[in-house]
Amino acid sequence: MARWVLHVDLDQFIAAVEVLRRPELRGRPVVVGGDGDPTKRGVVSTGSYEARACGVHSGQPLRTAARRCPDTVFLPVDRDLYEDVSAQVMATLRGFGVVVEVLGWDEAFLAVDGDPEALARQIRDRVRAATGLECTVGIGENKLQAKLATGFGKPAGIFRLTGETWFEVLGDRPADALWGVGAKTAKRLEGLGIGTVGELAAADPDVLARHFGPTIGPWLVLLAQGRDNSPVSDAPHVPRSRGRETTYQHDLDDWADVRREVARLARRVAHDAAGDGRDVGRVIVKVRYAPFFTRTHGRTLEAPATGADRAGVDRIGADRIVEAALAALDGFNERRPVRLLGVRAEFAR
DNA sequence: TCTGGGGTCCTAGGACCC
DNA sequence: TCTGGGGTCCTAGGACCC
């Protein structure tokens, strides 16, 4: 077992990649999100630090960002480009000959020995040399500590957080500073008189189990204590599901349109699943109605289907996936305007 | 702040079986 | 007959993360 975990996190990754190919944007507020049109429905994927300085943040509606920061350059999301650059970054990290666990486009854990600060500096240098991008490195005795350390090192820094310094750094912070505690859980904890990381660390696991369930309750306490024994793993990620969803610029009022769109999404999902070489066991349809509440209904296939349009004695797999999606759609009774439709395929086995 | 799109994991409740 | 308790599976929803 390696002594240290490093968490490498690219700084403003998506915005930085866009600035790399348009150097004239350096130093300007840049927001990447949706199709790049801030008058449409969509949210900020990433804003440059200049955009953040005027109150723009990830997840914010593009409209709001445009209002907050009128001279912002808005750009559409270009997933293929980010995937390519991400692959370069991860290859650079693997070049250190250590176990690398990828955590999305712009983050990875590394299990390392030796002088972690020295290694962190080398990582920053090599990532910069290979890609022109800046990153921050968090150092910890486990993944949780390393992940939280990164937040204190941003931008382009290095920060070490250990069991020894954990409470000094985090004890008085709100519980949602933890990785895995969001606004909802923080609010519920507040109701139990638990506001800070320190208070959560001192809480009774049995009491939390009663409120949050037998797994999450006790886990929350360990989280607040900075304890985590999950290994850094480079085992290839095996996807559990594959989905497609769309928010419509104008709500769909006509259920015939809804059916047609669900069939279209299901066909895309079937195609994606076939591309992954996976069999589909269950299909789930998601409907978000205009007042922004979401419902899901699913259908389990009688036998797993491939999404491939291959001829056979049986019906073609893609048709069965589409049919399952339409059957799941029949589970929705409310016929009010629809804002978003999604179809997700869960893989068999 | 009129709130994307891609995922993962956990929980609660009902069905069903012995 | 008017009614237990436990285990397991399935489904919908919730919460979180990038």
Side-chain angles (χ1 to χ4, degrees):
Chain A
M1 184 98 158
R3 173 84 177 82
W4 299 105
V5 176
L6 304 190
H7 176 252
V8 178
D9 193 317
L10 280 290
D11 296 337
Q12 44 170 4
F13 176 66
I14 291 175
V17 169
E18 292 292 350
V19 170
L20 272 184
R21 68 167 164 187
R22 302 173 201 224
E24 71 276 13
L25 297 182
R26 192 170 295 280
R28 294 196 56 188
V30 173
V31 164
V32 184
D35 69 355
D37 181 347
T39 67
K40 289 192 185 167
R41 285 178 174 174
V43 300
V44 175
S45 289
T46 302
S48 67
Y49 287 123
E50 293 79 6
R52 294 179 200 193
C54 45
V56 170
H57 57 83
S58 298
Q60 187 177 58
L62 293 176
R63 275 195 184 91
T64 309
R67 220 179 306 126
R68 291 253 174 109
C69 205
D71 58 340
T72 297
V73 178
F74 286 89
L75 299 171
V77 173
D78 182 354
R79 302 177 64 93
D80 292 344
L81 174 64
Y82 315 142
E83 268 163 33
D84 287 350
V85 178
S86 174
Q88 284 179 49
V89 171
M90 298 309 163
T92 304
L93 297 180
R94 290 196 187 91
F96 284 87
V98 299
V99 176
V100 175
E101 178 175 336
V102 176
L103 213 84
W105 282 338
D106 62 342
E107 287 180 46
F109 288 114
L110 280 67
V112 308
D113 284 297
D115 178 348
E117 272 81 8
L119 193 56
R121 285 192 292 273
Q122 284 181 46
I123 287 171
R124 285 191 315 179
D125 291 347
R126 274 204 227 170
V127 167
R128 190 187 303 112
T131 65
L133 296 169
E134 295 293 335
C135 62
T136 297
V137 182
I139 300 167
E141 293 159 334
N142 57 41
K143 295 203 285 188
L144 171 63
Q145 291 171 359
K147 167 81 182 173
L148 286 172
T150 301
F152 297 96
K154 289 228 164 232
I158 295 170
F159 193 92
R160 187 200 285 223
L161 179 60
T162 63
E164 204 177 326
T165 58
W166 178 264
F167 288 110
E168 170 192 321
V169 173
L170 280 162
D172 295 333
R173 303 248 169 184
D176 61 5
L178 295 166
W179 187 36
V181 177
K184 298 289 174 72
T185 303
K187 187 120 194 192
R188 286 173 67 190
L189 287 169
E190 201 94 46
L192 300 175
I194 297 168
T196 65
V197 171
E199 287 162 357
L200 182 55
D204 181 347
D206 291 334
V207 172
L208 291 183
R210 246 172 278 140
H211 287 89
F212 294 92
T215 304
I216 290 184
W219 170 74
L220 285 170
V221 178
L222 292 178
L223 198 65
Q225 294 171 347
R227 289 170 30 184
D228 167 26
N229 54 19
S230 64
V232 178
S233 165
D234 56 4
H237 174 243
V238 180
R240 309 280 199 276
S241 67
R242 192 79 134 86
R244 295 275 190 173
E245 60 183 64
T246 305
T247 292
Y248 297 94
Q249 287 303 320
H250 302 284
D251 300 336
L252 303 181
D253 298 317
D254 184 344
W255 205 253
D257 292 338
V258 170
R259 281 189 74 80
R260 194 174 341 100
E261 283 296 300
V262 165
R264 185 183 64 82
L265 289 165
R267 204 161 285 286
R268 289 182 69 184
V269 167
H271 181 262
D272 292 342
D276 295 339
R278 302 291 296 277
D279 288 347
V280 174
R282 184 174 162 77
V283 179
I284 294 139
V285 171
K286 171 157 124 182
V287 175
R288 177 168 294 151
Y289 294 100
F292 213 79
F293 68 90
T294 308
R295 294 282 180 270
T296 61
H297 286 283
R299 270 289 182 285
T300 300
L301 277 67
E302 282 183 28
T306 64
D309 286 332
R310 59 161 191 225
V313 185
D314 242 345
R315 260 173 308 142
I316 294 167
D319 284 349
R320 291 173 52 215
I321 290 167
V322 171
E323 192 173 302
L326 291 174
L329 183 63
D330 289 337
F332 292 86
N333 303 318
E334 293 184 83
R335 292 287 184 273
R336 28 165 75 193
V338 168
R339 168 187 181 94
L340 168 147
L341 290 172
V343 175
R344 174 160 299 278
E346 288 183 355
F347 296 134
R349 280 161 303 158

Short mmCIF file of all heavy atoms in Angstrom, two decimals, chain A residues 273-310:
data_model
loop_
_atom_site.label_atom_id
_atom_site.label_comp_id
_atom_site.label_asym_id
_atom_site.label_seq_id
_atom_site.Cartn_x
_atom_site.Cartn_y
_atom_site.Cartn_z
N ALA A 273 -25.43 1.84 -26.89
CA ALA A 273 -25.19 0.58 -26.16
C ALA A 273 -24.54 -0.44 -27.09
O ALA A 273 -23.64 -1.18 -26.68
CB ALA A 273 -26.49 0.04 -25.59
N ALA A 274 -25.02 -0.48 -28.34
CA ALA A 274 -24.43 -1.40 -29.30
C ALA A 274 -22.96 -1.04 -29.54
O ALA A 274 -22.11 -1.92 -29.63
CB ALA A 274 -25.21 -1.36 -30.62
N GLY A 275 -22.68 0.27 -29.58
CA GLY A 275 -21.30 0.71 -29.75
C GLY A 275 -20.41 0.28 -28.59
O GLY A 275 -19.23 0.00 -28.75
N ASP A 276 -21.01 0.22 -27.40
CA ASP A 276 -20.28 -0.23 -26.21
C ASP A 276 -20.17 -1.75 -26.18
O ASP A 276 -19.48 -2.29 -25.31
CB ASP A 276 -21.02 0.21 -24.92
CG ASP A 276 -21.05 1.73 -24.77
OD1 ASP A 276 -20.22 2.39 -25.40
OD2 ASP A 276 -21.91 2.23 -24.01
N GLY A 277 -20.90 -2.41 -27.06
CA GLY A 277 -20.90 -3.88 -27.06
C GLY A 277 -21.60 -4.47 -25.86
O GLY A 277 -21.23 -5.53 -25.38
N ARG A 278 -22.63 -3.76 -25.36
CA ARG A 278 -23.30 -4.23 -24.14
C ARG A 278 -24.75 -4.58 -24.42
O ARG A 278 -25.40 -3.98 -25.28
CB ARG A 278 -23.24 -3.12 -23.08
CG ARG A 278 -21.84 -2.67 -22.72
CD ARG A 278 -21.07 -3.75 -21.96
NE ARG A 278 -21.69 -4.05 -20.68
CZ ARG A 278 -21.48 -3.34 -19.55
NH1 ARG A 278 -20.68 -2.30 -19.57
NH2 ARG A 278 -22.08 -3.69 -18.44
N ASP A 279 -25.26 -5.54 -23.63
CA ASP A 279 -26.67 -5.91 -23.69
C ASP A 279 -27.47 -5.08 -22.70
O ASP A 279 -27.01 -4.81 -21.60
CB ASP A 279 -26.84 -7.40 -23.36
CG ASP A 279 -26.33 -8.30 -24.47
OD1 ASP A 279 -26.09 -7.77 -25.58
OD2 ASP A 279 -26.16 -9.50 -24.23
N VAL A 280 -28.66 -4.71 -23.09
CA VAL A 280 -29.52 -3.87 -22.27
C VAL A 280 -30.54 -4.74 -21.54
O VAL A 280 -31.19 -5.58 -22.16
CB VAL A 280 -30.23 -2.82 -23.15
CG1 VAL A 280 -31.25 -2.03 -22.33
CG2 VAL A 280 -29.21 -1.92 -23.80
N GLY A 281 -30.65 -4.53 -20.23
CA GLY A 281 -31.58 -5.33 -19.44
C GLY A 281 -32.83 -4.57 -19.03
O GLY A 281 -33.87 -5.15 -18.78
N ARG A 282 -32.68 -3.24 -18.94
CA ARG A 282 -33.80 -2.44 -18.45
C ARG A 282 -33.71 -1.06 -19.08
O ARG A 282 -32.61 -0.55 -19.31
CB ARG A 282 -33.72 -2.35 -16.92
CG ARG A 282 -34.86 -1.63 -16.27
CD ARG A 282 -34.76 -1.73 -14.74
NE ARG A 282 -35.60 -0.71 -14.13
CZ ARG A 282 -36.92 -0.83 -14.04
NH1 ARG A 282 -37.53 -1.91 -14.46
NH2 ARG A 282 -37.64 0.14 -13.51
N VAL A 283 -34.87 -0.46 -19.34
CA VAL A 283 -34.93 0.86 -19.96
C VAL A 283 -35.76 1.78 -19.07
O VAL A 283 -36.85 1.41 -18.64
CB VAL A 283 -35.56 0.79 -21.37
CG1 VAL A 283 -35.63 2.18 -22.00
CG2 VAL A 283 -34.77 -0.16 -22.26
N ILE A 284 -35.21 2.96 -18.77
CA ILE A 284 -35.89 3.90 -17.89
C ILE A 284 -36.13 5.21 -18.63
O ILE A 284 -35.22 5.76 -19.25
CB ILE A 284 -35.06 4.15 -16.62
CG1 ILE A 284 -35.00 2.86 -15.79
CG2 ILE A 284 -35.66 5.26 -15.78
CD1 ILE A 284 -33.69 2.59 -15.20
N VAL A 285 -37.36 5.68 -18.53
CA VAL A 285 -37.73 6.95 -19.16
C VAL A 285 -37.89 8.00 -18.07
O VAL A 285 -38.49 7.74 -17.03
CB VAL A 285 -39.03 6.82 -19.97
CG1 VAL A 285 -39.52 8.18 -20.45
CG2 VAL A 285 -38.80 5.89 -21.16
N LYS A 286 -37.34 9.17 -18.33
CA LYS A 286 -37.42 10.28 -17.37
C LYS A 286 -38.21 11.41 -18.01
O LYS A 286 -37.96 11.76 -19.17
CB LYS A 286 -36.01 10.72 -17.04
CG LYS A 286 -35.88 11.99 -16.25
CD LYS A 286 -34.52 11.98 -15.54
CE LYS A 286 -33.71 13.21 -15.88
NZ LYS A 286 -32.38 13.18 -15.24
N VAL A 287 -39.15 11.96 -17.28
CA VAL A 287 -39.93 13.11 -17.75
C VAL A 287 -39.80 14.22 -16.72
O VAL A 287 -40.09 14.00 -15.53
CB VAL A 287 -41.42 12.75 -17.95
CG1 VAL A 287 -42.22 14.01 -18.31
CG2 VAL A 287 -41.58 11.70 -19.03
N ARG A 288 -39.36 15.36 -17.17
CA ARG A 288 -39.38 16.55 -16.30
C ARG A 288 -40.46 17.47 -16.83
O ARG A 288 -40.39 17.93 -17.98
CB ARG A 288 -38.02 17.24 -16.28
CG ARG A 288 -38.02 18.53 -15.45
CD ARG A 288 -36.61 19.05 -15.22
NE ARG A 288 -35.86 18.13 -14.38
CZ ARG A 288 -34.54 17.97 -14.43
NH1 ARG A 288 -33.83 18.67 -15.28
NH2 ARG A 288 -33.95 17.11 -13.65
N TYR A 289 -41.47 17.70 -16.01
CA TYR A 289 -42.57 18.57 -16.43
C TYR A 289 -42.16 20.03 -16.29
O TYR A 289 -41.18 20.35 -15.59
CB TYR A 289 -43.81 18.27 -15.60
CG TYR A 289 -44.36 16.88 -15.84
CD1 TYR A 289 -44.09 15.83 -14.96
CD2 TYR A 289 -45.13 16.60 -16.96
CE1 TYR A 289 -44.59 14.55 -15.19
CE2 TYR A 289 -45.64 15.33 -17.19
CZ TYR A 289 -45.36 14.32 -16.30
OH TYR A 289 -45.85 13.05 -16.53
N ALA A 290 -42.91 20.89 -16.94
CA ALA A 290 -42.55 22.30 -16.99
C ALA A 290 -42.35 22.92 -15.61
O ALA A 290 -41.41 23.69 -15.43
CB ALA A 290 -43.59 23.07 -17.79
N PRO A 291 -43.17 22.59 -14.61
CA PRO A 291 -42.88 23.18 -13.29
C PRO A 291 -41.67 22.55 -12.59
O PRO A 291 -41.48 22.73 -11.39
CB PRO A 291 -44.17 22.96 -12.50
CG PRO A 291 -44.90 21.89 -13.20
CD PRO A 291 -44.46 21.89 -14.63
N PHE A 292 -40.85 21.83 -13.33
CA PHE A 292 -39.58 21.32 -12.83
C PHE A 292 -39.71 20.27 -11.75
O PHE A 292 -39.00 20.28 -10.75
CB PHE A 292 -38.67 22.46 -12.34
CG PHE A 292 -37.21 22.17 -12.59
CD1 PHE A 292 -36.65 22.34 -13.83
CD2 PHE A 292 -36.41 21.69 -11.56
CE1 PHE A 292 -35.32 22.04 -14.07
CE2 PHE A 292 -35.06 21.39 -11.78
CZ PHE A 292 -34.52 21.57 -13.03
N PHE A 293 -40.66 19.35 -11.93
CA PHE A 293 -40.58 18.14 -11.11
C PHE A 293 -40.44 16.96 -12.06
O PHE A 293 -40.94 16.98 -13.18
CB PHE A 293 -41.77 18.00 -10.15
CG PHE A 293 -43.08 17.73 -10.80
CD1 PHE A 293 -43.49 16.43 -11.04
CD2 PHE A 293 -43.91 18.78 -11.19
CE1 PHE A 293 -44.71 16.18 -11.64
CE2 PHE A 293 -45.13 18.54 -11.81
CZ PHE A 293 -45.53 17.24 -12.03
N THR A 294 -39.73 15.96 -11.59
CA THR A 294 -39.25 14.89 -12.45
C THR A 294 -39.81 13.56 -11.99
O THR A 294 -39.90 13.30 -10.79
CB THR A 294 -37.71 14.86 -12.41
OG1 THR A 294 -37.22 16.16 -12.70
CG2 THR A 294 -37.16 13.87 -13.42
N ARG A 295 -40.23 12.74 -12.96
CA ARG A 295 -40.71 11.40 -12.67
C ARG A 295 -39.98 10.41 -13.57
O ARG A 295 -39.60 10.77 -14.68
CB ARG A 295 -42.22 11.29 -12.95
CG ARG A 295 -43.08 12.14 -12.03
CD ARG A 295 -43.23 11.49 -10.65
NE ARG A 295 -44.05 12.32 -9.78
CZ ARG A 295 -43.54 13.27 -8.99
NH1 ARG A 295 -42.25 13.51 -8.99
NH2 ARG A 295 -44.33 13.97 -8.21
N THR A 296 -39.82 9.17 -13.09
CA THR A 296 -39.23 8.14 -13.93
C THR A 296 -40.10 6.89 -13.90
O THR A 296 -40.76 6.60 -12.90
CB THR A 296 -37.82 7.74 -13.44
OG1 THR A 296 -37.93 7.21 -12.11
CG2 THR A 296 -36.87 8.91 -13.46
N HIS A 297 -40.10 6.17 -15.02
CA HIS A 297 -40.73 4.86 -15.08
C HIS A 297 -39.87 3.97 -15.96
O HIS A 297 -39.31 4.44 -16.95
CB HIS A 297 -42.15 4.93 -15.66
CG HIS A 297 -43.15 5.50 -14.69
ND1 HIS A 297 -43.67 4.79 -13.63
CD2 HIS A 297 -43.69 6.73 -14.62
CE1 HIS A 297 -44.50 5.56 -12.95
NE2 HIS A 297 -44.53 6.75 -13.53
N GLY A 298 -39.80 2.69 -15.58
CA GLY A 298 -38.93 1.78 -16.32
C GLY A 298 -39.64 0.53 -16.77
O GLY A 298 -40.77 0.26 -16.36
N ARG A 299 -38.98 -0.20 -17.64
CA ARG A 299 -39.44 -1.51 -18.11
C ARG A 299 -38.24 -2.44 -18.16
O ARG A 299 -37.23 -2.09 -18.77
CB ARG A 299 -40.01 -1.43 -19.53
CG ARG A 299 -41.49 -1.15 -19.63
CD ARG A 299 -42.33 -2.33 -19.18
NE ARG A 299 -43.75 -2.05 -19.34
CZ ARG A 299 -44.47 -1.25 -18.54
NH1 ARG A 299 -43.88 -0.66 -17.53
NH2 ARG A 299 -45.74 -1.05 -18.76
N THR A 300 -38.39 -3.60 -17.54
CA THR A 300 -37.36 -4.63 -17.66
C THR A 300 -37.66 -5.46 -18.89
O THR A 300 -38.81 -5.87 -19.10
CB THR A 300 -37.35 -5.51 -16.40
OG1 THR A 300 -37.08 -4.68 -15.28
CG2 THR A 300 -36.28 -6.59 -16.50
N LEU A 301 -36.65 -5.69 -19.71
CA LEU A 301 -36.85 -6.49 -20.91
C LEU A 301 -36.99 -7.97 -20.53
O LEU A 301 -36.37 -8.42 -19.58
CB LEU A 301 -35.68 -6.31 -21.88
CG LEU A 301 -35.76 -5.08 -22.78
CD1 LEU A 301 -35.65 -3.80 -21.98
CD2 LEU A 301 -34.67 -5.11 -23.83
N GLU A 302 -37.81 -8.68 -21.30
CA GLU A 302 -37.98 -10.10 -21.00
C GLU A 302 -36.68 -10.84 -21.16
O GLU A 302 -36.38 -11.77 -20.41
CB GLU A 302 -39.07 -10.70 -21.89
CG GLU A 302 -40.46 -10.33 -21.39
CD GLU A 302 -41.55 -10.98 -22.21
OE1 GLU A 302 -41.31 -12.07 -22.77
OE2 GLU A 302 -42.65 -10.39 -22.29
N ALA A 303 -35.91 -10.43 -22.14
CA ALA A 303 -34.55 -10.96 -22.31
C ALA A 303 -33.67 -9.80 -22.74
O ALA A 303 -34.13 -8.89 -23.42
CB ALA A 303 -34.54 -12.06 -23.36
N PRO A 304 -32.40 -9.78 -22.32
CA PRO A 304 -31.52 -8.67 -22.70
C PRO A 304 -31.48 -8.49 -24.21
O PRO A 304 -31.56 -9.45 -24.97
CB PRO A 304 -30.15 -9.13 -22.18
CG PRO A 304 -30.46 -10.06 -21.05
CD PRO A 304 -31.73 -10.76 -21.45
N ALA A 305 -31.36 -7.21 -24.61
CA ALA A 305 -31.33 -6.89 -26.04
C ALA A 305 -30.04 -6.16 -26.37
O ALA A 305 -29.58 -5.33 -25.59
CB ALA A 305 -32.52 -6.00 -26.40
N THR A 306 -29.47 -6.45 -27.50
CA THR A 306 -28.39 -5.60 -28.00
C THR A 306 -29.06 -4.49 -28.78
O THR A 306 -30.16 -4.65 -29.31
CB THR A 306 -27.44 -6.35 -28.95
OG1 THR A 306 -28.19 -6.73 -30.09
CG2 THR A 306 -26.85 -7.56 -28.28
N GLY A 307 -28.41 -3.35 -28.85
CA GLY A 307 -28.99 -2.25 -29.60
C GLY A 307 -28.69 -2.35 -31.08
O GLY A 307 -29.11 -1.51 -31.86
N ALA A 308 -27.95 -3.38 -31.45
CA ALA A 308 -27.54 -3.48 -32.86
C ALA A 308 -28.73 -3.83 -33.74
O ALA A 308 -29.60 -4.60 -33.36
CB ALA A 308 -26.46 -4.54 -33.01
N ASP A 309 -28.75 -3.24 -34.90
CA ASP A 309 -29.80 -3.55 -35.87
C ASP A 309 -29.40 -4.78 -36.68
O ASP A 309 -29.19 -4.72 -37.88
CB ASP A 309 -30.02 -2.37 -36.82
CG ASP A 309 -30.75 -1.25 -36.11
OD1 ASP A 309 -31.51 -1.54 -35.19
OD2 ASP A 309 -30.53 -0.10 -36.49
N ARG A 310 -29.30 -5.90 -35.98
CA ARG A 310 -28.88 -7.10 -36.72
C ARG A 310 -30.12 -7.92 -37.06
O ARG A 310 -31.04 -8.03 -36.25
CB ARG A 310 -27.88 -7.92 -35.93
CG ARG A 310 -28.44 -8.37 -34.60
CD ARG A 310 -27.71 -9.53 -34.00
NE ARG A 310 -28.52 -10.00 -32.89
CZ ARG A 310 -28.06 -10.31 -31.69
NH1 ARG A 310 -26.79 -10.21 -31.45
NH2 ARG A 310 -28.87 -10.72 -30.74
#
